[in-house]
């Protein structure tokens, strides 16, 4: 069972908007202006959020790349230290200094 009240509501809105010179017209214009302003603000906010997300993604990518570069450098330094230790052990064992 559907009520017919749902069909009446849009008719009331149409009548309120169509009425000229009524005392509610400035109020209605104010409400419409505020609604338009809110829609513009939401649109601007959405763009800002999207830009922020893109910037955050870029930063994550940059940090990831920097992390990879730093990891490679640390690995290279570690391998160099290991080579130096191995070479020192081999030299000492050849000289008879190792136990």
């Amino acid at each position: 069972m559907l009520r017919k009240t749902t069909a009446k509501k849009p008719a009331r809105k149409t009548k309120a908007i169509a009425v000229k010179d009524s005392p509610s017209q400035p109020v209605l214009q104010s409400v419409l202006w505020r609604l338009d302003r809110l829609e513009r603000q939401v649109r601007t906010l959405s763009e800002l959020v999207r830009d922020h997300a893109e910037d955050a993604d870029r930063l994550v990518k940059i940090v990831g790349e920097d992390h990879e570069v730093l990891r490679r450098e640390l690995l290279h330094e570690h391998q160099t230290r290991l080579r130096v230790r191995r070479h020192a052990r081999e030299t000492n064992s050849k000289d008879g200094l190792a136990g």
Side-chain angles (χ1 to χ4, degrees):
M1 290 185 200
L2 293 174
R3 291 184 180 184
K4 293 187 178 185
T5 55
T6 55
K8 291 181 182 178
K9 286 185 181 179
R12 287 180 188 162
K13 284 184 178 179
T14 305
K15 287 179 182 176
I17 292 172
V19 175
K20 307 257 178 179
D21 302 333
S22 72
S24 64
Q25 188 174 6
V27 174
L28 180 62
Q29 286 178 344
S30 174
V31 169
L32 291 175
W33 178 83
R34 287 180 182 175
L35 180 64
D36 183 53
R37 183 168 179 248
L38 283 173
E39 288 174 346
R40 283 183 280 139
Q41 288 176 335
V42 167
R43 215 172 313 135
T44 302
L45 184 60
S46 297
E47 291 172 9
L48 291 173
V49 168
R50 190 178 315 112
D51 291 345
H52 175 73
E54 290 172 358
D55 291 344
D57 288 346
R58 255 185 255 120
L59 286 173
V60 167
K61 195 178 290 185
I62 290 169
V63 168
E65 290 169 357
D66 287 349
H67 183 276
E68 181 63 23
V69 169
L70 289 172
R71 188 190 69 76
R72 285 185 197 154
E73 288 177 4
L74 289 172
L75 182 62
H76 180 71
E77 288 175 13
H78 177 69
Q79 290 171 344
T80 303
R81 276 190 239 128
L82 288 177
R83 272 191 239 115
V84 168
R85 286 182 197 158
R86 265 191 238 128
H87 181 70
R89 267 190 258 146
E90 289 173 0
T91 304
N92 289 340
S93 66
K94 286 181 185 176
D95 294 340
L97 299 175

